[in-house]
Amino acid sequence: MGLEGKINKKSKTSNIRINHARITTHTSSYGFSMKKIIHVDMDCFFAAIEERDNPLLANNPIVVGGRPESRGVVATCNYEARRYGIHSAMPSAQAVKLCPSLTFIKPNIRKYKAVSEKIHSIFHQYTNLVEPISLDEAYLDVTNSKQYHGSATWIAQAICNDIYAATGLTASAGVSNTKFVAKIASDWNKPAGLKVVLPKNSQAFIDQLPIRKLHGVGKVTASKLENLDIFYCHELRQIELSLLIKKFGKFGKSLYELCRGIDLRKVKPNSVRKSLSVETTFQENILLWDDCKIQLLKLVSDLSRRLEKSNHPQKVSKVFIKVKMENFILHSAESISQELNIRLLIELFTTLREKYPKPIRLLGIGVGFTEPNSQQQNKQLNIAF
Ligand code: TTP
Ligand code: MG
């Protein structure tokens, strides 16, 4: 459904709540994780399923997504198409310009969900600590798993083999003692690749990573770091915590920790998401209404894509917006809504803007979900996402 179709004309704005928070930093004691974490991610998921089901497509560039003439976007594409520079979220019209012989396939979400159920049930054969991230991706904590004498490497390989045997599709896996390294590792040897980063090699592995690989580092943070002549994690590690906090606020502490391999996030089994949000920090603070509107619409389209990809079982119950001003003060506003509602977000933004007519450093939007009822929770346990 196009974004226009998602506007809920019945929504009311009478229950807007405005919150304020000052960004603060705090210190905590560091501890290195001795956990065994696997991150599994299927290769070209939707496209691989379509190729499997139609051998005539093999070796041809294909896209799963909306058609160019109906202003569709690429959900994913196979490696042949990636060679032309095509990627997820690219407008299909642009994709066909890059590769005129491209084959477009309409997504069949029901089919992809059935495959997803199979792979998630394989994960559960190795541990109960499975955190589903999306249809094709999950974190597993196998610290206490007994199979293969507890070897996370062998378990990861066995999971990929089982997935291939059950579905005819390949997965890639990363093994590490932290979530963020396991995720980077699963992408390392794609497709059908396994990358193991042992705790003793973790620092050396992180040191050679470009800073853009770090969890949460987007274009703006990366270019700020690059302006400080910091391109790789080993360079980031030379920077003092106080300077990072001065430059990046609370996120400075995360940067300090991540480049040292410190990521204490646990694998959260069957986590019930309470919200989903996106945000962007601007290279230059913005003030003009037109600039704000463009950024807001970009965020809406980004959030809408993520909502579709994550396939949440819970219903949307509210929308919210947050605005960080040039002085780092954060203001937010929210309103009840059953869907991602652009008009309502614009109203919330206008309310905040009238109250705080100052240059904006960061803009974020999100949706909150209803608490799942027990029936939904059971469904979640069964299908594990
Ligand atoms: P990804 O795991 O991000 O991508 P992928 O599996 O196609 O390719 P890779 O081998 O690089 O992991 O996403 C999984 C599926 O989610 C993907 O096949 C299609 C869907 N998807 C969207 O619909 N929109 C998006 O913007 C993205 C990134 C993915
Ligand atoms: Mg994938």
Side-chain angles (χ1 to χ4, degrees):
M1 187 195 296
L3 292 175
E4 289 302 316
K6 291 191 173 175
I7 292 177
N8 177 0
K9 297 202 169 61
K10 283 191 207 132
S11 295
K12 295 195 179 93
T13 55
S14 53
N15 44 15
I16 291 177
R17 280 217 317 256
I18 299 189
N19 311 309
H20 320 273
R22 182 173 282 277
I23 305 294
T24 54
T25 55
H26 64 277
T27 50
S28 66
S29 56
Y30 299 143
F32 290 98
S33 163
M34 292 313 290
K35 294 210 170 299
K36 296 178 191 174
I37 293 171
I38 302 175
H39 179 258
V40 184
D41 188 305
M42 300 295 289
D43 303 322
C44 308
F45 189 47
F46 295 0
I49 295 174
E50 296 301 341
E51 276 191 64
R52 176 197 70 178
D53 295 349
N54 182 356
L56 292 176
L57 297 173
N59 307 319
N60 292 315
I62 64 162
V63 152
V64 177
R67 297 202 56 83
E69 55 276 15
S70 55
R71 303 230 238 143
V73 291
V74 174
T76 194
C77 57
N78 63 359
Y79 280 95
E80 283 76 6
R82 289 182 195 196
R83 251 173 244 137
Y84 291 85
I86 298 167
H87 56 77
S88 292
M90 175 183 274
S92 299
Q94 191 183 340
V96 81
K97 274 189 201 144
L98 292 171
C99 173
S101 65
L102 203 54
T103 302
F104 282 88
I105 298 162
K106 199 174 152 208
N108 179 347
I109 299 291
R110 193 183 291 180
K111 181 158 77 168
Y112 311 147
K113 276 188 186 171
V115 178
S116 178
E117 282 180 36
K118 277 193 188 160
I119 66 169
H120 281 84
S121 74
I122 291 170
F123 300 152
H124 281 271
Q125 288 164 20
Y126 291 89
T127 176
N128 288 327
L129 295 177
V130 177
E131 180 176 337
I133 302 296
S134 68
L135 288 179
D136 85 324
E137 179 188 347
Y139 288 104
L140 286 74
D141 182 335
V142 295
T143 313
N144 296 319
S145 298
K146 299 281 177 276
Q147 290 104 319
Y148 297 94
H149 303 289
S151 158
T153 305
W154 285 104
I155 292 175
Q157 187 60 64
I159 288 171
C160 293
N161 294 347
D162 289 356
I163 288 177
Y164 189 74
T167 67
L169 301 166
T170 61
S172 296
V175 180
S176 161
N177 59 341
T178 60
K179 279 170 105 172
F180 97 94
V181 173
K183 180 157 170 91
I184 295 169
S186 72
D187 205 35
W188 207 252
N189 290 326
K190 255 184 185 289
L194 172 65
K195 171 80 181 162
V196 179
V197 182
L198 297 174
K200 66 174 181 174
N201 301 330
S202 177
Q203 190 60 63
F205 178 78
I206 295 166
D207 276 351
Q208 43 94 43
L209 293 174
I211 41 161
R212 280 168 198 262
K213 287 268 180 193
L214 288 180
H215 180 68
V217 174
K219 272 190 214 147
V220 173
T221 311
S223 68
K224 275 190 182 172
L225 286 166
E226 285 163 8
N227 284 340
L228 298 169
D229 261 349
I230 300 166
F231 296 88
Y232 290 91
C233 289
H234 68 89
E235 292 162 335
L236 181 57
R237 206 148 56 86
Q238 307 307 315
I239 312 298
E240 283 184 11
L241 175 62
S242 54
L243 179 61
L244 289 174
I245 288 175
K246 196 169 147 206
K247 292 266 176 209
F248 301 99
K250 198 176 166 188
F251 187 56
K253 182 163 172 272
S254 301
L255 286 172
Y256 185 86
E257 292 180 338
L258 288 173
C259 69
R260 287 167 174 74
I262 300 164
D263 173 14
L264 301 178
R265 289 174 304 147
K266 289 189 177 138
V267 171
K268 292 189 219 111
N270 294 311
S271 58
V272 177
R273 242 187 207 280
K274 294 203 178 106
S275 64
L276 186 69
S277 59
V278 290
E279 62 180 44
T280 181
T281 304
F282 307 116
Q283 200 96 38
E284 309 263 328
N285 295 343
I286 58 167
L287 182 62
L288 296 176
W289 171 241
D290 278 351
D291 292 341
C292 296
K293 198 167 168 194
I294 290 170
Q295 296 301 335
L296 203 53
L297 291 177
K298 270 193 199 160
L299 286 172
V300 170
S301 123
D302 190 12
L303 184 59
S304 159
R305 258 202 314 274
R306 287 195 197 194
L307 263 174
E308 271 167 36
K309 184 186 171 213
S310 60
N311 184 41
H312 280 288
Q314 302 118 275
K315 290 204 173 90
V316 169
S317 62
K318 68 174 181 186
V319 292
F320 57 87
I321 186 157
K322 64 177 180 178
V323 180
K324 200 192 273 180
M325 317 309 291
E326 58 183 353
N327 58 1
F328 283 88
I329 306 271
L330 191 69
H331 303 292
S332 62
E334 63 181 46
S335 180
I336 291 173
S337 173
Q338 253 101 64
E339 54 198 334
L340 177 55
N341 181 326
I342 309 168
R343 209 168 279 178
L344 190 49
L345 281 166
I346 291 177
E347 277 178 45
L348 290 174
F349 180 72
T350 313
T351 312
L352 283 178
R353 203 178 135 79
E354 278 165 6
K355 248 181 132 170
Y356 311 103
K358 290 267 163 56
I360 295 169
R361 184 186 156 73
L362 171 152
L363 189 59
I365 61 165
V367 291
F369 297 112
T370 48
E371 291 286 314
N373 58 30
S374 52
Q375 206 184 348
Q376 274 172 326
Q377 250 164 358
N378 284 342
K379 188 173 156 224
Q380 274 209 320
L381 288 174
N382 289 339
I383 64 172
F385 57 75

